[in-house]
Amino acid sequence: MKATPAIEVKNLTIGYGDFVLLKDLNYTVNKGDIFIIMGGSGCGKSSMLRVLTGLTLPQKGSVCINGVDFTRAAPEKREQIMRRSGILYQSGALFSSMTLAENIALPLQQYSACSGREIKDLVSLKLALVGLAGFEDFYPSEISGGMKKRAGLARALALDPDIVYFDEPSAGLDPVSSRLLDDLILDINRCLNTTIVVVTHELASIFAIGSNSIFLDGESKSIQGYGNPRELLKNPPNEKVLNFLTRGEGKHA
């Protein structure tokens, strides 16, 4: 069966003013992918995420989401597309003065026609989905870093998005919490068929969850690797990709 594109990046150039960070990028994220955007520090991973989520416009090229040119769409259409996506930021980005239930209810209150009772039920459902059933009345300061990430994910899932973006989800987590979050990402992808885009440089997560990927290279300002991370490790396209995926050891399976 032919894969259906969720995101199509065409001839994309990203930069600020006269500075070009990445140029002439082309790749596709298919529906149901867990797509990894990887590369070393400063290569443009976070800038790429900002363009994909509509927070920054590219210097050139386009991003098509579900067949619509997101880059050039009218403001109303862009907002509609953005509501069909969710984002988990590095810190979770929860509002500290609000309970977990209030944090997750916020997008439902703003962007849905659900009643108060329906919102309460949906909040409990989303928290249960990420393993936080019963934590509705807790404040972010009362839970661990890993739990904050999961609560942030519950909020990202509040509106049942087609695509969820993760910005360095393992940042600040211990190995066990990181693995639990990886397992949760896999479960959401399998159970909800959600397309997932993850910005990360954590090799354990890359190999555990990635079904497809790009390797961004800041020096050449280009994509130097494109494909399943495990396949890239077996058949690295160049030395840069090999060194990244082997922590500089230069050995592959």
Side-chain angles (χ1 to χ4, degrees):
M1 183 182 298
K2 186 178 180 180
T4 304
I7 303 170
E8 295 174 277
V9 172
K10 301 175 181 178
N11 303 314
L12 196 71
T13 295
I14 301 171
Y16 305 94
D18 294 330
F19 176 72
V20 174
L21 182 61
L22 294 162
K23 61 184 180 181
D24 301 325
L25 306 183
N26 292 275
Y27 65 90
T28 299
V29 180
N30 290 316
K31 289 185 178 180
D33 268 354
I34 300 181
F35 192 93
I36 308 294
I37 299 174
M38 58 183 176
S41 298
C43 70
K45 299 189 299 295
S46 294
S47 295
M48 173 64 72
L49 185 63
R50 290 179 64 83
V51 170
L52 292 178
T53 55
L55 298 177
T56 303
L57 288 173
Q59 290 182 334
K60 189 181 76 172
S62 64
V63 175
C64 292
I65 298 181
N66 293 323
V68 177
D69 188 341
F70 182 46
T71 311
R72 296 176 180 81
E76 297 82 6
K77 188 62 177 179
R78 283 174 60 82
E79 184 177 341
Q80 183 183 9
I81 293 171
M82 290 170 77
R83 288 184 190 178
R84 297 302 307 152
S85 65
I87 307 174
L88 175 61
Y89 298 97
Q90 280 192 36
S91 63
L94 298 170
F95 292 102
S96 60
S97 61
M98 301 170 70
T99 65
L100 300 191
E102 290 169 339
N103 267 280
I104 296 158
L106 192 60
L108 291 163
Q109 292 165 345
Q110 291 183 329
Y111 301 119
S112 80
C114 295
S115 67
R117 177 73 254 179
E118 289 170 331
I119 288 175
K120 185 176 180 180
D121 290 343
L122 283 169
V123 165
S124 295
L125 176 64
K126 301 304 179 182
L127 282 171
L129 184 65
V130 300
L132 291 176
F135 282 84
E136 285 85 351
D137 296 328
F138 281 66
Y139 286 88
S141 61
E142 298 174 321
I143 59 177
S144 69
M147 294 168 76
K148 288 177 186 176
K149 298 270 182 129
R150 284 187 275 149
L153 178 54
R155 187 177 62 187
L157 294 170
L159 296 172
D160 297 322
D162 301 317
I163 304 169
V164 178
Y165 300 93
F166 291 76
D167 185 13
E168 300 283 3
S170 299
L173 297 183
D174 63 81
V176 174
S177 297
S178 180
R179 180 54 190 266
L180 289 173
L181 185 57
D182 285 344
D183 290 342
L184 182 55
I185 291 171
L186 287 168
D187 286 343
I188 289 168
N189 174 254
R190 289 173 187 146
C191 297
L192 304 180
N193 199 32
T194 306
T195 303
I196 292 172
V197 178
V198 183
V199 168
T200 185
H201 59 265
E202 296 288 342
L203 291 182
S205 293
I206 288 169
F207 292 127
I209 66 175
S211 61
N212 203 357
S213 70
I214 52 170
F215 176 83
L216 299 178
D217 175 50
E219 185 177 7
S220 65
K221 303 181 181 181
S222 66
I223 294 173
Q224 289 288 304
Y226 184 10
N228 185 294
R230 291 171 291 281
E231 292 302 317
L232 290 178
L233 178 62
K234 290 179 181 178
N235 300 290
N238 53 60
E239 201 71 17
K240 287 182 178 179
V241 173
L242 174 60
N243 284 333
F244 179 85
L245 294 176
T246 62
R247 293 192 174 93
E249 293 181 3
K251 300 174 183 177
H252 58 88

